[in-house]
Structures are given as C-alpha cells and as structure tokens.
C-alpha cells in the first residue's frame, strides 16, 4: 500500500463518567489508503462515533496517534468533512445557506462560494431546491443536503456517521447508490460508520468489525465483490452471514447448558 492518507496508531480513548473511567476504545490501529472506502461496523456503544470524532478533530484527548497525510490530527481541518446521522440542518436557513455553512472557514469570495454551492447542489441532484427550507424536504433530500455540506469544502476525506440510519429501507438503498455515484465523480477517501452489515458490504472496499466494551477491532475483511454489487448475489449473501456471525458471536459467552422448556417464562411458551 502507498503511504496511507489516514493512519490510526494504537488509539485509545477513555471517558470520565461520574469519576469512573470508561474505556471506550482500546488499541485501535488502522491504515486507510487514498481513495479507499472503509466501513466500520459494530453494535451500539462500541465506539464508532467516538472514532470519527477523533479523526475529524472534535476531540483531541486520546491515547496513541492519528495522522492525515503523515501529520498528526490536532483539531478540525477542511480536508476532512463529516456527515452525521441526523442531518443537523438549520431550519431557518435555506438549502443554499445550510450547504454554505461548510464553507465558513474557506478563503473564497461570495461569488466563488455561490458557484461552489451550486456545483454541489447539482452533485446531489437538488438544484430545484436551492431556495427551499429543511421542512420542505423529505428525509432523503435533507440527508443529501447534509452530504453536500460535508463535501462542499472539497475535503479529501469524507466521514459518515450512520448517515442513512434514520431513513426508510427504500430511500436508504437509493442513497447508498447515490453515495457510490458521488464517489465515482469526486474520488474521495471515505470512512463510513454503520451498524448495518449489508450497507457496509454493499459500499465498502474493506469492513472493520468492532467488538464492544471496550471498543476494539475484531476483524478486518476485504470486500472483493465487483461493483455494482447485488444484494441477492450468493457471495454477497455469504459475506453477510459471515460478518453477522462475527458481530453476534461473543468469545466470552459460555452457554450454561441446554435450555429446558420449563426454564422459559410462561409468556414465551404461551406464544
Ligand atoms: N461524551 C461522552 N461521555 C461519556 N461517555 C461517552 C461519551 N461519548 C461516548 N461515550 C461512551 O463511549 C462508548 C462509545 O460510544 P459511541 O462512540 O457513541 O458508540 P457507537 O457510536 O458505536 O454507538 C459508549 O459506552 C458511550 O456511552
Ligand atoms: Mg454512534
């Protein structure tokens, strides 16, 4: 692999919760190549959002080191854009102004900003909605605006924290297709956090499976399936079963013996 664009070296993170230390991430090490699409999957609470917050530079208190292009991350920077699960659009701003928030720190003239925003509205297919307000948009459209805002400063790395988690299944699949189309046009290194194994396999070049308490890497899986990927394909199905098994198997789990019918609650037997 060429020099990685992103490198996590032995990253650890703990929170102080009422004087008790909570270890959220332990010894997370991962190199990400330029242009690569990495998905991080894991159950709720295994440190996925925390990892993205560290990479985007919103939290600088951690162990180990994170580098972007060989330089240690010490705060936010315009080469990294982030999209959160809830679109976080401001209801009193138009689509154009919400996207423009992604450019507040850019040394561009008003005319250049207007031009750039127009380009990205087009990229996400919302040119007709440039003057609309968030309440006039569907969930999928609002999330596209959030993606445009994450991309408008032309970051080299796009970070997505469960960006489609709140959408219905059909819209989610459409957004996944669109994300791949956007990536094909704007070659951008992408790190997606999701709890949806199928989404990870559909989109990513590599899937990092996390295990919880503390959050750490359980396995890294290469997804060699060609695009466009078919969810109904046999290899796709196999991979999904394998990854689901990885996610749900717990090495420390010791079954206490076969379950007897009389061990089950009455309500269970009744149905
Ligand atoms: N600001 C915080 N203060 C205390 N604990 C936190 C904070 N942020 C996250 N945590 C804890 O760290 C762990 C990982 O959280 P998070 O990164 O949000 O997980 P995920 O995104 O995988 O659901 C959880 O146990 C969560 O409660
Ligand atoms: Mg999260």
């Amino acid at each position: 692999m060429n020099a990685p664009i992103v490198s996590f070296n032995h990253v650890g993170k703990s929170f102080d919760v009422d004087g008790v230390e909570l270890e959220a991430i332990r010894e997370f090490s991962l190199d990400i190549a330029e242009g690569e699409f990495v998905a991080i999957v894991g159950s709720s609470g295994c440190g996925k959002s925390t990892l993205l917050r560290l990479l985007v530079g919103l939290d600088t208190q951690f162990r180990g080191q994170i580098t972007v292009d060989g330089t240690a991350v010490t705060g936010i920077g315009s080469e990294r854009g982030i999209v959160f699960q809830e679109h976080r659009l401001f209801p009193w701003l138009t689509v154009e102004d919400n996207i423009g928030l992604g450019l507040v720190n850019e040394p561009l003239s008003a005319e250049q900003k207007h031009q750039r925003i127009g380009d990205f509205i087009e990229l996400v297919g919302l040119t007709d909605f440039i003057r609309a307000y968030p309440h006039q948009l569907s969930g999928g459209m609002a999330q596209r605006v959030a993606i445009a805002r994450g991309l408008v400063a032309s970051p080299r790395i796009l970070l997505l924290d469960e960006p489609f988690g709140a959408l219905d299944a059909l819209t989610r699949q459409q957004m996944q297709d669109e994300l791949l189309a956007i990536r094909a046009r704007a070659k951008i290194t992408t790190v997606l956090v999701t709890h949806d194994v199928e989404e990870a396999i559909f989109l990513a070049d590599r899937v990092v499976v996390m295990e919880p308490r503390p959050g750490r890497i359980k396995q890294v899986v290469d997804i060699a399936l060609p695009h466009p990927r078919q969810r109904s394909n046999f290899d796709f199905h196999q991979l999904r079963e394998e990854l689901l098994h990885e996610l749900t198997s717990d090495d420390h789990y010791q079954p206490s013996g076969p379950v007897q019918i009389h061990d089950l609650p009455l309500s269970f037997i009744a149905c």
Side-chain angles (χ1 to χ4, degrees):
M1 181 155 103
N2 295 331
I5 184 169
V6 172
S7 190
F8 289 89
N9 292 308
H10 304 284
V11 171
K13 170 74 188 174
S14 297
F15 292 103
D16 179 63
V17 182
D18 296 332
V20 179
E21 182 180 319
L22 173 101
E23 190 183 7
I25 295 166
R26 178 184 290 177
E27 284 289 319
F28 187 94
S29 292
L30 183 74
D31 286 343
I32 300 173
E34 177 118 51
E36 197 180 9
F37 194 139
V38 169
I40 300 174
V41 295
S43 53
S44 178
C46 72
K48 303 182 299 297
S49 295
T50 303
L51 277 169
L52 283 197
R53 286 176 57 80
L54 299 183
L55 175 55
V56 86
L58 286 169
D59 184 344
T60 52
Q61 303 295 308
F62 57 92
R63 296 178 290 278
Q65 196 182 44
I66 303 173
T67 60
V68 171
D69 268 337
T71 306
V73 169
T74 54
I76 58 173
S78 61
E79 80 286 357
R80 284 158 283 147
I82 189 160
V83 178
F84 298 98
Q85 172 165 2
E86 332 80 60
H87 52 70
R88 300 192 187 181
L89 301 181
F90 291 103
W92 59 89
L93 294 181
T94 62
V95 164
E96 177 172 24
D97 291 340
N98 267 291
I99 296 175
L101 289 174
L103 289 175
V104 283
N105 292 321
E106 298 301 295
L108 298 172
S109 68
E111 179 50 36
Q112 286 170 319
K113 284 188 181 179
H114 182 72
Q115 177 69 40
R116 185 85 79 83
I117 293 166
D119 290 348
F120 280 87
I121 286 179
E122 200 179 320
L123 187 70
V124 297
L126 288 176
T127 307
D128 293 343
F129 292 85
I130 188 164
R131 304 246 170 272
Y133 286 87
H135 75 270
Q136 296 169 304
L137 307 175
S138 68
M141 288 157 81
Q143 205 54 353
R144 277 191 261 164
V145 175
I147 290 174
R149 184 177 56 192
L151 286 168
V152 74
S154 297
R156 293 175 54 216
I157 307 162
L158 181 63
L159 310 176
L160 301 155
D161 191 355
E162 312 221 20
F164 311 138
L167 304 176
D168 64 84
L170 190 63
T171 310
R172 193 182 317 150
Q173 290 194 8
Q174 285 169 352
M175 295 293 294
Q176 291 165 355
D177 289 336
E178 252 172 60
L179 177 60
L180 288 179
I182 289 170
R183 263 179 56 82
R185 277 172 279 168
K187 305 245 173 291
I188 187 169
T189 308
T190 309
V191 184
L192 168 84
V193 153
T194 180
H195 61 261
D196 181 346
V197 168
E198 188 170 303
E199 177 166 278
I201 300 171
F202 185 74
L203 295 170
D205 301 320
R206 257 190 318 157
V207 176
V208 177
V209 181
M210 299 282 292
E211 60 182 323
R213 289 178 295 280
R216 67 223 121 111
I217 295 180
K218 185 167 196 188
Q219 209 188 359
V220 181
V221 183
D222 284 315
I223 311 294
L225 304 176
H227 286 282
R229 293 178 178 162
Q230 306 294 330
R231 293 179 179 81
S232 55
N233 171 285
F234 178 75
D235 293 335
F236 193 108
H237 180 78
Q238 283 283 101
L239 264 171
R240 189 179 54 201
E241 293 303 301
E242 272 172 46
L243 286 187
L244 275 175
H245 179 74
E246 278 304 315
L247 270 180
T248 50
S249 66
D250 182 345
D251 295 338
H252 310 295
Y253 177 71
Q254 291 289 328
S256 56
V259 177
Q260 302 295 321
I261 193 83
H262 56 256
D263 290 336
L264 295 171
L266 276 178
S267 57
F268 191 94
I269 297 167
C271 62

